[in-house]
Amino acid sequence: MGAEESTGFEPATGDGPPAAEPAAARAASVRTAFEGLLQIRRLTGAGRPAPEAVPALWELNRPVRAVALALESSGSTPSAVDPSGRRVSAGYRVSDGESAGSVRVEWIGPPGSGAAHGEEQALADCASALRDLGWTVLLYRGPRRRRYLEVEPPSGL
């Protein structure tokens, strides 16, 4: 039994270690989890014109996990840290946002990785993937003029 089978699937938030499993196995796990998320949307959104286009209650209760799964399933690359907590690769980082139920998405990497230079396009790609799934996405500039996304459920949910 693999670690995933014993602990369950966890999408990459960008604060974990680099993927230990082969890329094909991870991609299959992500695909299965994302299909499960879409099925939850279909079942709980019955009666809506496009139930797959709106986050389900499950996602609203676990927004960091839901956004991380959406980004990983879109093909975006997560950042990663080593056991000491030192950032070892550039990519997205998903964390709790400033307000309840919101999520912050940053594009970060280790010093010298060039993450700051690629963040504009990378965050635009992340925003597009999240908007396609019904999330409200706002782009901000933080300290040192670094961009980040604030992701929220659409109003009225």
Side-chain angles (χ1 to χ4, degrees):
M1 181 182 276
E4 184 175 304
E5 293 168 341
S6 64
T7 61
F9 175 81
E10 285 297 326
T13 62
D15 278 334
E21 64 189 311
R26 180 65 186 184
S29 295
V30 170
R31 202 169 31 257
T32 298
F34 187 69
E35 283 302 318
L37 180 139
L38 293 178
Q39 184 63 14
I40 289 170
R41 284 182 172 200
R42 284 189 288 271
L43 293 171
T44 61
R48 287 191 178 129
E52 290 182 359
V54 180
L57 181 60
W58 178 90
E59 295 169 87
L60 304 182
N61 290 328
R62 299 161 189 79
V64 169
R65 188 169 195 219
V67 167
L69 177 56
L71 291 176
E72 193 171 2
S73 71
S74 77
S76 291
T77 304
S79 184
V81 296
D82 67 14
S84 71
R86 188 175 54 107
R87 195 134 320 261
V88 294
S89 65
Y92 67 79
R93 177 180 182 257
V94 180
S95 59
D96 287 322
E98 294 179 21
S99 61
S102 72
V103 175
R104 182 181 177 121
V105 177
E106 304 168 277
W107 193 263
I108 58 175
S113 68
H117 298 291
E119 80 180 0
E120 184 174 7
Q121 183 60 52
L123 288 175
D125 293 344
C126 290
S128 177
L130 293 167
R131 285 185 185 114
D132 287 349
L133 290 169
W135 293 94
T136 299
V137 182
L138 303 169
L139 176 66
Y140 291 99
R141 282 195 188 264
R144 294 184 293 261
R145 303 195 44 84
R146 293 294 305 265
R147 296 169 183 89
Y148 67 94
L149 303 175
E150 193 76 17
V151 183
E152 303 170 343
S155 61
L157 281 185

